[in-house]
């Protein structure tokens, strides 16, 4: 069965307001619900509630940063959700960004690849119930063992934007999560990841035939993301370095308004799924045809229909 995921809680809704729609997701044909962790809901509580509200869904975190919690706390949180949803929980972890780790959480963003690799290796052992005493490159753990290891350890997937992390995901993890890609970009990511490793991507969707309005909303989002160093490097690798150069120059000069305006229409149309619901579903299928295993929709508010309706109209059962 094709996977068809969605982001919870929904944009512009509290977790409690999302309850009834989350419960409805399985009958609409959604197979997965994935949380996020930036500056809204945390990555675990929505999954804990969804485990009860929609007990057939696969649940995943996309992603929990490896440098905002200690290794042991991260293992405890993952074990808790794995117990609530045995065999249905996928732990997504990643390096995150300096803004989230350092400016917002008073952490240290150093050696992001090594920290992610070390955390993955620690979690494999800890979630299997092992006692861990290990000196890793980026941290040391002495004598940690979960009081209650999950009966079914969760799969672990990595946020991966470029070849190094994609190769690590293929070698040592159960999958890779990417973000802000076009269907054509999926081909390049898949080529690095290989055919046997699950590829997951969050896809931002606005059900609207007003392309001008969509682009206005999307440009603000894109400017906020694509100027982050890890995403700037990612899109340089994907081949958008020159077309995004005016945006980066304006942003570096402190002119945020000019940076937003400098993002070309074709970049917005590449990275945001928009149009009527049927057009959006067809576009999502393009991603799948190009090698994406699990699309995770993130419907944006402000489209032609209310958000709840958009979630229902984007469901695979309508195809």
């Amino acid at each position: 069965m094709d996977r068809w995921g969605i982001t919870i809680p929904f944009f512009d809704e509290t977790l409690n307001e999302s309850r009834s729609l989350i419960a409805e997701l399985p009958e609409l044909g959604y197979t997965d619900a994935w949380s996020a962790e930036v500056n809204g809901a945390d990555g675990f509580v929505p999954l804990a509630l969804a485990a009860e509200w929609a007990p057939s869904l696969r649940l995943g975190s996309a992603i929990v940063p490896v440098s905002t919690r200690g290794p042991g706390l991260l293992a405890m949180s993952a074990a808790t959700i794995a117990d609530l949803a045995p065999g249905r929980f996928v732990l997504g972890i990643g390096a995150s960004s300096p803004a989230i780790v350092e400016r917002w959480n008073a952490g240290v963003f150093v050696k992001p690849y090594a920290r992610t690799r070390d955390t993955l290796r620690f979690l494999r052992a800890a979630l299997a119930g092992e006692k861990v005493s290990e000196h890793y490159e980026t941290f040391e753990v002495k004598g940690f063992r979960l009081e209650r290891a999950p009966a079914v350890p969760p799969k672990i997937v990595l946020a991966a934007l470029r070849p190094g992390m994609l190769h690590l995901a293929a070698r040592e993890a159960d999958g890779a999560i990417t973000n802000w890609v076009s269907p054509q970009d999926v081909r390049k990511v898949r080529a690095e990841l290989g055919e046997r490793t699950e590829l997951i991507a969050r896809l931002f969707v606005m059900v609207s035939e007003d392309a001008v309005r969509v682009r206005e909303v999307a440009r603000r989002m894109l400017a906020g993301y694509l100027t982050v160093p890890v995403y700037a490097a990612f899109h340089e690798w994907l081949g958008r370095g020159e077309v995004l150069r005016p945006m980066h120059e304006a942003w570096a000069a402190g002119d945020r308004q000019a940076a937003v305006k400098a993002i070309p229409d074709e970049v917005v149309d590449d990275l945001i799924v928009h149009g009527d619901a049927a057009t959006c579903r067809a576009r999502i299928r393009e991603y799948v045809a190009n090698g994406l295993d699990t699309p995770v929709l993130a419907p944006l508010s402000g489209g032609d229909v209310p958000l709840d309706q958009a979630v229902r109209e984007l469901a695979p059962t309508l195809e």
Side-chain angles (χ1 to χ4, degrees), residues 81 103 105 107 120 157 161 170 181 187 190 196 206 225:
I81 306 298
R103 297 209 297 269
N105 286 286
L120 168 64
V157 298
L161 299 180
V181 289
R187 291 181 180 271
R190 172 58 76 187
R196 297 183 180 182
M206 183 177 283
Y225 269 91

Side-chain angles (χ1 to χ4, degrees), residues 51-312:
E52 180 175 347
W53 296 345
S56 65
L57 291 176
R58 185 173 74 155
L59 308 170
S61 59
I63 53 92
V64 173
V66 296
S67 298
T68 56
R69 292 174 176 82
L73 178 57
L74 184 52
M76 288 187 284
S77 299
T80 301
I81 306 298
D83 265 346
L84 289 173
R88 295 189 295 121
F89 173 50
V90 180
L91 174 61
I93 59 172
S96 191
S97 70
I100 293 172
V101 173
E102 296 185 338
R103 297 209 297 269
W104 299 353
N105 286 286
V108 179
F109 188 81
V110 295
K111 297 185 176 179
Y113 172 88
R115 179 64 185 244
T116 303
R117 179 202 61 210
D118 294 348
T119 302
L120 168 64
R121 291 173 178 175
F122 164 77
L123 288 169
R124 284 286 197 215
L127 291 168
E130 298 176 19
K131 183 176 182 179
V132 183
S133 292
E134 188 73 40
H135 183 83
Y136 300 94
E137 180 182 345
T138 56
F139 59 84
E140 184 175 6
V141 175
K142 298 178 181 179
F144 177 84
R145 173 177 280 158
L146 283 168
E147 181 178 295
R148 177 186 172 89
V152 182
K155 291 185 175 181
I156 304 175
V157 298
L158 303 183
L161 299 180
R162 287 186 289 162
M165 202 72 84
L166 288 165
H167 297 166
L168 176 64
R171 286 195 313 271
E172 299 191 33
D174 300 298
I177 304 170
T178 192
N179 197 13
W180 292 114
V181 289
S182 71
Q184 192 60 38
D185 296 334
V186 169
R187 291 181 180 271
K188 185 163 187 174
V189 172
R190 172 58 76 187
E192 294 292 338
L193 184 64
E195 295 299 323
R196 297 183 180 182
T197 305
E198 181 178 5
L199 179 59
I200 304 147
R202 177 166 281 114
L203 308 179
F204 293 92
V205 184
M206 183 177 283
V207 180
S208 175
E209 297 182 68
D210 185 345
V212 173
R213 181 172 59 179
V214 171
R215 290 167 184 154
E216 181 181 353
V217 172
R219 278 191 175 90
R220 292 195 295 271
M221 293 182 64
L222 287 167
Y225 269 91
L226 301 188
T227 52
V228 174
V230 291
Y231 280 103
F234 181 42
H235 283 270
E236 178 81 31
W237 177 66
L238 290 172
R240 294 194 180 90
E242 284 305 312
V243 75
L244 291 175
R245 188 178 302 281
M247 177 199 71
H248 288 297
E249 290 175 350
W251 191 272
D255 192 339
R256 302 295 191 253
Q257 190 173 22
V260 169
K261 290 180 179 178
I263 301 172
D265 286 353
E266 58 265 29
V267 171
V268 178
D269 296 343
D270 262 359
L271 303 179
I272 299 286
V273 177
H274 63 97
D276 62 22
T279 299
C280 290
R281 292 196 306 273
R283 178 72 165 174
I284 294 161
R285 287 295 182 192
E286 285 184 44
Y287 283 88
V288 175
N290 283 355
L292 181 64
D293 296 303
T294 305
V296 179
L297 283 53
L300 301 173
S301 58
D304 294 342
V305 298
L307 193 64
D308 287 15
Q309 184 178 336
V311 170
R312 295 185 179 100

Side-chain angles (χ1 to χ4, degrees), residues 10-65:
F10 304 106
F11 278 102
D12 291 344
E13 288 191 4
T14 66
L15 187 54
N16 195 50
E17 290 167 343
S18 299
R19 177 175 183 168
S20 61
L21 190 52
I22 290 173
E24 190 182 340
L25 292 174
E27 66 186 77
L28 293 171
Y30 290 95
T31 61
D32 292 47
W34 290 75
S35 64
E37 188 169 275
V38 183
N39 60 347
D42 79 288
F44 291 111
V45 172
L47 303 181
L49 293 171
E52 180 175 347
W53 296 345
S56 65
L57 291 176
R58 185 173 74 155
L59 308 170
S61 59
I63 53 92
V64 173

